[in-house]
Amino acid sequence: MTKKAPLIQVKDITKDFVNDEVVTKVLNGVSFDIEQGEFVAIMGPSGSGKSTLMHILGFLDTPTSGQILFDGNDVSQLDEDQLAEMRSMKIGFVFQAFNLLPRTTVLDNVMLPLLYVKMKEDDRIKQAKSAIDAVGLSHRLSNLSNQLSGGEKQRVAIARALVNNPSIIFADEPTGNLDSKSGLQIMQLLQDLNIMEKHTIILVTHEKYTAEHAERIIQIRDGLIVSDKKVDSRVIANNEKELRK
């Protein structure tokens, strides 16, 4: 039986930024694979290149050189329209700042990505409600997002990332604006989505404890991968005592 190709294959990618003829090298030849269903943390200090790497993996940017295969297809040289189509079909994003519309209901916030998909209104509502139920917020459907706590806002953002049933969920510092209890609950939710629902998740963080909720940590520094290891003792964030603190 032929082994299925990794979901993502990154082959010696570089990224340079040019400003007034000054070239800043951000990624310096990065290579790795990510399998379908993995939960991978990309960890590094500010300026390490981790955010640039996430933007390239999430079809928000293109590499200067190298190759990226997604589901076996080379996507390294797609134009902006093609990248936008890939993002809408394949990627869900969760950001530190939530990026919700403040005077809009939870349901309408989660339905936003579906506005670009050809489907009936009833089907949009059904799909959005299913995503909201998956993050435990069915009782907040009609609340405005500015009426929610920080943890609830991040759950709405995760539901919005889920609503298109993407191939990958990118979580960029998802606990950065949360207290420790809410942050632990969000990490438990992401773990559940990975372990129970088999979603592929790529977490970008500078925090070691947050990264240890993943099953694998890629450490990046000065645009290079300095470590790529399975987590020996993955933190399972369902400790009731910790959640009650």
Side-chain angles (χ1 to χ4, degrees), residues 94-106:
V94 180
F95 297 103
Q96 178 178 338
F98 317 133
N99 292 352
L100 302 178
L101 299 179
R103 295 179 181 83
T104 306
T105 66
V106 167

Side-chain angles (χ1 to χ4, degrees), residues 85-110:
E85 185 176 358
M86 290 289 288
R87 284 196 303 273
S88 67
M89 294 173 57
K90 301 292 186 181
I91 307 295
F93 289 103
V94 180
F95 297 103
Q96 178 178 338
F98 317 133
N99 292 352
L100 302 178
L101 299 179
R103 295 179 181 83
T104 306
T105 66
V106 167
L107 180 61
D108 285 338
N109 265 288
V110 173

Side-chain angles (χ1 to χ4, degrees):
M1 183 179 295
T2 304
K3 184 181 178 182
K4 182 175 172 57
L7 181 63
I8 297 175
Q9 295 171 277
V10 176
K11 299 183 178 183
D12 199 30
I13 65 168
T14 68
K15 183 64 179 180
D16 301 340
F17 291 106
V18 181
N19 187 13
D20 292 332
E21 299 184 359
V22 176
V23 178
T24 302
K25 294 185 176 298
V26 181
L27 296 176
N28 297 298
V30 172
S31 300
F32 58 89
D33 295 344
I34 294 177
E35 303 288 344
Q36 178 74 44
E38 273 198 288
F39 187 164
V40 180
I42 298 174
M43 184 181 174
S46 178
S48 62
K50 65 183 186 298
S51 293
T52 298
L53 179 57
M54 187 203 76
H55 289 163
I56 291 173
L57 294 177
F59 307 122
L60 293 166
D61 202 353
T62 54
T64 301
S65 66
Q67 189 179 38
I68 299 176
L69 302 181
F70 186 91
D71 251 347
N73 299 309
D74 189 351
V75 297
S76 310
Q77 305 301 323
L78 297 183
D79 62 29
E80 289 188 10
D81 289 342
Q82 292 169 320
L83 288 174
E85 185 176 358
M86 290 289 288
R87 284 196 303 273
S88 67
M89 294 173 57
K90 301 292 186 181
I91 307 295
F93 289 103
V94 180
F95 297 103
Q96 178 178 338
F98 317 133
N99 292 352
L100 302 178
L101 299 179
R103 295 179 181 83
T104 306
T105 66
V106 167
L107 180 61
D108 285 338
N109 265 288
V110 173
M111 280 202 302
L112 275 175
L114 300 179
L115 296 178
Y116 307 101
V117 180
K118 290 182 179 179
M119 63 167 48
K120 295 178 181 178
E121 182 73 7
D122 288 349
D123 291 336
R124 286 196 184 99
I125 293 172
K126 182 180 179 180
Q127 202 158 315
K129 284 182 175 179
S130 177
I132 293 166
D133 183 58
V135 302
L137 281 183
S138 293
H139 61 297
R140 295 291 202 193
L141 275 178
S142 300
N143 284 88
L144 303 182
S145 64
N146 58 5
Q147 296 173 329
L148 306 178
S149 68
E152 287 173 330
K153 288 178 180 177
Q154 196 59 291
R155 285 175 179 268
V156 175
I158 292 171
R160 184 183 56 194
L162 285 171
V163 75
N164 264 346
N165 193 27
S167 299
I168 305 175
I169 297 171
F170 284 93
D172 187 8
E173 303 281 6
T175 63
N177 282 342
L178 303 177
D179 59 57
S180 57
K181 178 181 177 180
S182 297
L184 188 63
Q185 290 171 334
I186 290 302
M187 292 313 302
Q188 170 158 12
L189 175 57
L190 290 174
Q191 276 189 334
D192 288 346
L193 291 171
N194 171 245
I195 296 170
M196 305 301 291
E197 304 296 333
K198 310 302 182 186
H199 286 285
T200 306
I201 298 175
I202 298 178
L203 167 73
V204 176
T205 184
H206 67 279
E207 296 178 336
K208 186 172 186 290
Y209 177 75
T210 302
E212 286 175 344
H213 288 85
E215 59 184 324
R216 174 183 167 200
I217 299 175
I218 297 173
Q219 290 189 318
I220 185 168
R221 186 177 298 121
D222 298 328
L224 292 167
I225 291 176
V226 295
S227 175
D228 183 351
K229 296 179 179 179
K230 292 285 187 180
V231 177
D232 290 335
S233 53
R234 185 179 185 185
V235 175
I236 302 298
N238 59 1
N239 188 317
E240 292 298 327
K241 185 185 293 186
E242 287 295 319
L243 292 175
R244 285 199 299 268
K245 283 183 179 179

